[in-house]
Amino acid sequence: MAAIIDGKKISGQIKDELKEKVSALKKEGKTGALAVIQVGSDPASSVYVRNKKNACAYIGIESLAYELPEETSEKELLGLIEELNEKEEVRGILVQLPLPPHIDEGKVILAIRPEKDVDGFHPQSVGSMVIGEKGFVSCTPAGVIQLLKRSGVEIEGKRCVVVGRSNIVGKPMALLMLRENATVTIAHSRTKNLPELCRQADILIVAVGKPQMIGTEYVREGAVVIDVGIHRNADNKLCGDVKFDEVEKIASAITPVPGGVGPMTIAMLMANCVQSIEEG
Ligand code: NDP
């Protein structure tokens, strides 16, 4: 049976460390706020936004909430971002995605100043990560690295397969594993012989967005399996991209859904905010 990689516990440890850091920074006179912008009232986005505000309150940083109506124009949103870019006390700007279809997400991401881009989505942040320079790293992949390190999984020299190549998960994930000296293969919907390829992995990271697609035929005995996927099944229960019940029998370690990668994303967002306050 696999060891369970407990994202709830590890994210809790990270938030406690950050809480201490925030209180030390306050003593040095360093404070700052995270601005969270939501356009429209998509229920899933509202939950994420609420969780982010709660996390800020927990670690002791201020959050400024901007809840804008669905019909907000792109110009108005860009105007608000420009205003927040100029505000000294705002150290992080986060625009909850997805945005309504009449707003160009690319333009919005580009409008956030890279030094306040705590989501790590700005092309400058992505470029810095590619060449190994300082900058914000997108939160979910950064969270996976922390899960592995804090669970004692050695990355260096290991063969890693990342299934999925999206800009927010798969690609940055692969680059971060490369930075940690793994030998990395990126798989996607056109990859041939996917189960065979995945079976070569010491560390298999799945961000495919397909409920319970990955069963034992994709997993080598003793591999570490990280499941980034989040879905609701027919019974309205959360599940991942991996068939947890069967894969846990052959993996050496595995993340559950819920309670694996999910909680790490917000913890790493908080880490980026604290880094921004520290550097501000
Ligand atoms: P996307 O849909 O943007 O990307 C999915 C990727 O999987 C694509 O690169 C696609 O390939 C690839 N893919 C799709 N089908 C197959 C297949 N049959 N075989 C091989 N590859 C395939 O999803 P995201 O990266 O945004 O998210 C992935 C999952 O992670 C989702 O379940 C999402 O909900 C979850 N997620 C969880 C987060 C968390 O905090 N835990 C945060 C962000 C996402 P191609 O490029 O060829 O189309």
Side-chain angles (χ1 to χ4, degrees):
M1 277 303 222
I4 304 298
I5 299 179
D6 188 344
K8 222 172 156 187
K9 186 169 148 206
I10 295 172
S11 66
Q13 286 164 356
I14 292 174
K15 281 190 276 181
D16 285 340
E17 289 164 18
L18 291 170
K19 192 175 183 172
E20 271 184 31
K21 202 162 185 185
V22 167
S23 121
L25 286 169
K26 268 187 193 151
K27 286 183 191 135
E28 292 172 32
K30 286 188 168 179
T31 58
L34 169 67
V36 182
I37 306 172
Q38 183 182 0
V39 185
S41 53
D42 170 58
S45 292
S46 300
V47 172
Y48 288 130
V49 165
R50 194 175 56 232
N51 290 344
K52 287 167 189 175
K53 284 193 254 177
N54 289 344
C56 285
Y58 183 79
I59 68 162
I61 64 176
E62 196 186 343
S63 63
L64 306 170
Y66 296 86
E67 282 151 23
L68 309 180
E70 180 87 20
E71 57 277 11
T72 302
S73 69
E74 185 179 282
K75 195 166 167 230
E76 283 169 315
L77 178 58
L78 293 175
L80 172 61
I81 293 172
E82 200 36 56
E83 223 177 87
L84 295 169
N85 276 338
E86 293 301 327
K87 278 196 177 155
E88 183 89 23
E89 70 274 20
V90 172
R91 297 305 315 150
I93 302 172
L94 184 149
V95 180
Q96 187 63 43
L97 302 178
L99 288 166
H102 64 275
I103 300 179
D104 181 341
E105 279 185 7
K107 261 195 204 167
V108 169
I109 289 169
L110 213 53
I112 298 170
R113 235 180 240 168
E115 61 268 29
K116 299 191 179 190
D117 172 39
V118 284
D119 252 341
F121 293 161
H122 191 287
Q124 188 174 312
S125 308
V126 178
S128 297
M129 179 185 56
V130 174
I131 58 173
E133 284 198 349
K134 221 170 153 35
F136 293 115
V137 172
S138 66
C139 303
T140 302
V144 171
I145 298 288
Q146 284 301 314
L147 276 183
L148 292 170
K149 287 189 170 173
R150 288 173 185 246
S151 308
V153 176
E154 205 187 321
I155 304 175
E156 182 162 324
K158 293 291 162 63
R159 182 146 195 171
C160 173
V161 174
V162 178
V163 191
R165 57 173 167 181
S166 71
N167 288 337
I168 61 163
V169 188
K171 279 183 202 153
M173 188 69 251
L175 283 160
L176 290 185
M177 290 300 279
L178 182 64
R179 199 197 260 189
E180 297 295 331
N181 298 315
T183 302
V184 185
T185 304
I186 308 176
H188 47 77
S189 66
R190 319 284 170 88
T191 298
K192 303 257 193 291
N193 304 326
L194 186 63
E196 191 187 321
L197 180 82
C198 290
R199 280 200 306 272
Q200 292 172 20
D202 301 309
I203 302 173
L204 177 64
I205 303 179
V206 186
V208 80
K210 298 266 186 298
Q212 299 188 308
M213 177 179 135
I214 303 293
T216 46
E217 69 277 25
Y218 292 81
V219 181
R220 188 178 57 73
E221 198 159 348
V224 173
V225 179
I226 304 291
D227 186 355
V228 183
I230 308 181
H231 314 274
R232 285 208 179 266
N233 67 14
D235 307 328
N236 205 30
K237 281 202 172 140
L238 288 174
C239 70
D241 290 343
V242 175
K243 289 178 183 145
F244 181 88
D245 292 344
E246 62 177 68
V247 171
E248 79 157 335
K249 293 194 176 87
I250 64 163
S252 63
I254 187 168
T255 56
V257 178
V261 176
M264 294 301 290
T265 300
I266 290 187
M268 299 319 290
L269 171 69
M270 293 301 111
N272 281 350
C273 292
V274 173
Q275 183 188 325
S276 185
I277 292 171
E278 206 170 6
E279 288 166 359

